[in-house]
Amino acid sequence: MARCRIGYLMALAAAGLFFVSFSDWFSFYILALALVFPFFSLAVSLPGMLGCRVSLDAPGGAVRRGSGHEAGLRVENRWGLPVGRVAVDLSCRNLMTGQTGTVRRKGAGGSLGMDFREPLDTSHCGCLRWEVRRVRVCDLLGIFSIRRAVPQAARVLVLPLNLPAEGVKGLMGMEDKNPVMKPRPGGGPGEDYDLRPYRPGDPLRSVHWKLSSKVDDLVVRETLEPRKTAILLTFDLYGPAEVLDRAFDRLDAVSRGLIEAERGHYVQWIQPGTLEVRTRYVSDIKELRALQWEMFSTPAPMEGRSLRDVGVHIDGVDGPIRRLHMTPTGEGEAR
């Protein structure tokens, strides 16, 4: 637009010089035309300028890291009039890594609309915030301009690589080697049981009559059942983007493997800034995606506190816990 204004000022100066050099009706006509023509251009262009609308078309949901997806930008006029000069400033920011890219797109004309395509930066995991920062529409001469409303920002989740789940069977099989027993609610038949004194309310069918006659007191046979070991996946939400990518690749693969095995599990990390230990229970893909939206929308600093320095604990779980920590190399470290 600056070039258009400079060009107009030069043309106006030439018309003024022509009028001073040749004082007749024709030179006056040229000068008057140079003065009035910008306002005539504005009057003709104003309906198209006011009717200009900009919309974003980003991939819905989530995409995998390294995929070649694009985001679309459409400029159109709701009245079908030609659009003058349009300048749109775009910004794409990874909310987790903080990486930001900006670009400006320009166009003119297009009564049926103009479309622009921009590649999404999916080189790292995270939540991409794709937004229009400013929309400026000029008249046909490019001298006057107005700003139009910007559309709502779009968010795209960049997921880790779709790696195969490895080590899930070994992680689940640890509880079969040394099972922890617990009383079965409601009792019932079973091969494993424990003996304890009778308490009011115990069913008579659970009384061990033979042993009770020997000790001269009521003894109850309490049925036991194996207690499932709680599986806890932990990671550190800090460090370079490349390190976080490898850790999230492993975390996503193990979590999907546990979900396919119909095994619910916990995911835990330390929230940057507040240093609060966050814990989420995951039992299906929907809960995993909700967790990733939460994780990838959190800014990750370069340094922080590691969960490897914190004892294993899950609120509300008093049984055995098997933890798998995602190390910076992307491999699981089990305890």
Side-chain angles (χ1 to χ4, degrees), residues 194-216:
D194 194 9
L195 299 175
R196 62 169 177 80
Y198 175 84
R199 292 196 293 260
D202 289 336
L204 294 179
R205 66 176 181 273
S206 63
V207 176
H208 195 303
W209 295 107
K210 185 176 181 179
L211 183 59
S212 298
S213 62
K214 292 181 180 181
V215 299
D216 199 22

